[in-house]
PDB file of all heavy atoms in Angstrom:
ATOM      1  N   PRO A 381      -0.549   4.539  27.754  1.00 96.00           N
ATOM      2  CA  PRO A 381      -0.694   3.959  29.017  1.00 96.00           C
ATOM      3  C   PRO A 381      -0.515   2.427  28.997  1.00 96.00           C
ATOM      4  O   PRO A 381      -0.740   1.765  27.931  1.00 96.00           O
ATOM      5  CB  PRO A 381      -2.157   4.247  29.421  1.00 96.00           C
ATOM      6  CG  PRO A 381      -2.534   5.406  28.540  1.00 96.00           C
ATOM      7  CD  PRO A 381      -1.811   5.243  27.271  1.00 96.00           C
ATOM      8  N   LYS A 382      -0.080   1.803  30.099  1.00 98.00           N
ATOM      9  CA  LYS A 382       0.153   0.411  30.105  1.00 98.00           C
ATOM     10  C   LYS A 382      -1.118  -0.408  29.928  1.00 98.00           C
ATOM     11  O   LYS A 382      -2.204   0.021  30.343  1.00 98.00           O
ATOM     12  CB  LYS A 382       0.713   0.042  31.489  1.00 98.00           C
ATOM     13  CG  LYS A 382       2.133   0.622  31.794  1.00 98.00           C
ATOM     14  CD  LYS A 382       2.553   0.190  33.249  1.00 98.00           C
ATOM     15  CE  LYS A 382       3.838   0.853  33.569  1.00 98.00           C
ATOM     16  NZ  LYS A 382       4.939   0.319  32.753  1.00 98.00           N
ATOM     17  N   ILE A 383      -0.957  -1.526  29.236  1.00 98.00           N
ATOM     18  CA  ILE A 383      -2.143  -2.426  29.023  1.00 98.00           C
ATOM     19  C   ILE A 383      -2.045  -3.591  30.052  1.00 98.00           C
ATOM     20  O   ILE A 383      -3.057  -4.098  30.434  1.00 98.00           O
ATOM     21  CB  ILE A 383      -2.116  -2.945  27.570  1.00 98.00           C
ATOM     22  CG1 ILE A 383      -2.429  -1.768  26.593  1.00 98.00           C
ATOM     23  CG2 ILE A 383      -3.106  -4.042  27.372  1.00 98.00           C
ATOM     24  CD1 ILE A 383      -2.381  -2.158  25.175  1.00 98.00           C
ATOM     25  N   LEU A 384      -0.810  -3.950  30.415  1.00 98.00           N
ATOM     26  CA  LEU A 384      -0.637  -5.000  31.389  1.00 98.00           C
ATOM     27  C   LEU A 384       0.284  -4.534  32.498  1.00 98.00           C
ATOM     28  O   LEU A 384       1.216  -3.807  32.240  1.00 98.00           O
ATOM     29  CB  LEU A 384       0.007  -6.230  30.771  1.00 98.00           C
ATOM     30  CG  LEU A 384      -0.807  -7.055  29.779  1.00 98.00           C
ATOM     31  CD1 LEU A 384       0.013  -8.205  29.236  1.00 98.00           C
ATOM     32  CD2 LEU A 384      -2.108  -7.551  30.391  1.00 98.00           C
ATOM     33  N   PRO A 385       0.024  -5.035  33.756  1.00 98.00           N
ATOM     34  CA  PRO A 385       0.932  -4.705  34.828  1.00 98.00           C
ATOM     35  C   PRO A 385       2.060  -5.693  34.864  1.00 98.00           C
ATOM     36  O   PRO A 385       2.200  -6.595  34.066  1.00 98.00           O
ATOM     37  CB  PRO A 385       0.042  -4.889  36.089  1.00 98.00           C
ATOM     38  CG  PRO A 385      -0.836  -6.048  35.641  1.00 98.00           C
ATOM     39  CD  PRO A 385      -1.071  -5.799  34.136  1.00 98.00           C
ATOM     40  N   CYS A 386       3.028  -5.556  35.840  1.00 98.00           N
ATOM     41  CA  CYS A 386       4.006  -6.451  36.112  1.00 98.00           C
ATOM     42  C   CYS A 386       3.623  -7.228  37.350  1.00 98.00           C
ATOM     43  O   CYS A 386       3.802  -6.707  38.511  1.00 98.00           O
ATOM     44  CB  CYS A 386       5.382  -5.802  36.274  1.00 98.00           C
ATOM     45  SG  CYS A 386       6.715  -6.983  36.680  1.00 98.00           S
ATOM     46  N   LEU A 387       3.042  -8.436  37.235  1.00 98.00           N
ATOM     47  CA  LEU A 387       2.512  -9.160  38.353  1.00 98.00           C
ATOM     48  C   LEU A 387       3.648  -9.546  39.344  1.00 98.00           C
ATOM     49  O   LEU A 387       3.343  -9.635  40.541  1.00 98.00           O
ATOM     50  CB  LEU A 387       1.790 -10.401  37.890  1.00 98.00           C
ATOM     51  CG  LEU A 387       0.564 -10.166  37.036  1.00 98.00           C
ATOM     52  CD1 LEU A 387      -0.106 -11.467  36.529  1.00 98.00           C
ATOM     53  CD2 LEU A 387      -0.497  -9.282  37.831  1.00 98.00           C
ATOM     54  N   GLN A 388       4.821  -9.769  38.875  1.00 98.00           N
ATOM     55  CA  GLN A 388       5.916 -10.211  39.797  1.00 98.00           C
ATOM     56  C   GLN A 388       6.440  -9.018  40.565  1.00 98.00           C
ATOM     57  O   GLN A 388       7.190  -9.219  41.518  1.00 98.00           O
ATOM     58  CB  GLN A 388       7.019 -10.862  38.971  1.00 98.00           C
ATOM     59  CG  GLN A 388       6.617 -12.275  38.486  1.00 98.00           C
ATOM     60  CD  GLN A 388       7.637 -12.911  37.560  1.00 98.00           C
ATOM     61  OE1 GLN A 388       7.596 -12.744  36.340  1.00 98.00           O
ATOM     62  NE2 GLN A 388       8.616 -13.571  38.129  1.00 98.00           N
ATOM     63  N   ALA A 389       6.127  -7.824  40.200  1.00 97.00           N
ATOM     64  CA  ALA A 389       6.564  -6.601  40.975  1.00 97.00           C
ATOM     65  C   ALA A 389       5.563  -6.231  42.041  1.00 97.00           C
ATOM     66  O   ALA A 389       5.777  -5.334  42.845  1.00 97.00           O
ATOM     67  CB  ALA A 389       6.836  -5.465  40.013  1.00 97.00           C
ATOM     68  N   MET A 390       4.408  -6.920  42.042  1.00 98.00           N
ATOM     69  CA  MET A 390       3.388  -6.623  42.998  1.00 98.00           C
ATOM     70  C   MET A 390       3.465  -7.537  44.279  1.00 98.00           C
ATOM     71  O   MET A 390       4.172  -8.539  44.243  1.00 98.00           O
ATOM     72  CB  MET A 390       2.020  -6.723  42.322  1.00 98.00           C
ATOM     73  CG  MET A 390       1.834  -5.835  41.093  1.00 98.00           C
ATOM     74  SD  MET A 390       0.331  -6.208  40.075  1.00 98.00           S
ATOM     75  CE  MET A 390      -0.946  -5.662  41.216  1.00 98.00           C
ATOM     76  N   GLU A 391       2.718  -7.215  45.244  1.00 97.00           N
ATOM     77  CA  GLU A 391       2.709  -8.040  46.509  1.00 97.00           C
ATOM     78  C   GLU A 391       2.258  -9.417  46.134  1.00 97.00           C
ATOM     79  O   GLU A 391       1.127  -9.650  45.635  1.00 97.00           O
ATOM     80  CB  GLU A 391       1.774  -7.436  47.566  1.00 97.00           C
ATOM     81  CG  GLU A 391       1.845  -8.106  48.898  1.00 97.00           C
ATOM     82  CD  GLU A 391       3.133  -7.902  49.611  1.00 97.00           C
ATOM     83  OE1 GLU A 391       3.782  -6.879  49.318  1.00 97.00           O
ATOM     84  OE2 GLU A 391       3.509  -8.725  50.442  1.00 97.00           O
ATOM     85  N   PRO A 392       3.081 -10.451  46.404  1.00 97.00           N
ATOM     86  CA  PRO A 392       2.748 -11.793  45.914  1.00 97.00           C
ATOM     87  C   PRO A 392       1.563 -12.414  46.718  1.00 97.00           C
ATOM     88  O   PRO A 392       1.511 -12.268  47.928  1.00 97.00           O
ATOM     89  CB  PRO A 392       3.948 -12.599  46.181  1.00 97.00           C
ATOM     90  CG  PRO A 392       4.776 -11.817  47.191  1.00 97.00           C
ATOM     91  CD  PRO A 392       4.400 -10.362  46.988  1.00 97.00           C
ATOM     92  N   THR A 393       0.712 -13.001  45.992  1.00 98.00           N
ATOM     93  CA  THR A 393      -0.412 -13.774  46.519  1.00 98.00           C
ATOM     94  C   THR A 393      -0.365 -15.189  46.231  1.00 98.00           C
ATOM     95  O   THR A 393      -1.210 -16.042  46.560  1.00 98.00           O
ATOM     96  CB  THR A 393      -1.760 -13.175  46.097  1.00 98.00           C
ATOM     97  OG1 THR A 393      -1.799 -13.200  44.710  1.00 98.00           O
ATOM     98  CG2 THR A 393      -1.934 -11.757  46.614  1.00 98.00           C
TER      99      THR A 393
END
Side-chain angles (χ1 to χ4, degrees):
K382 295 177 183 290
I383 294 176
L384 291 178
C386 177
L387 295 178
Q388 287 172 269
M390 302 170 69
E391 186 69 26
T393 56

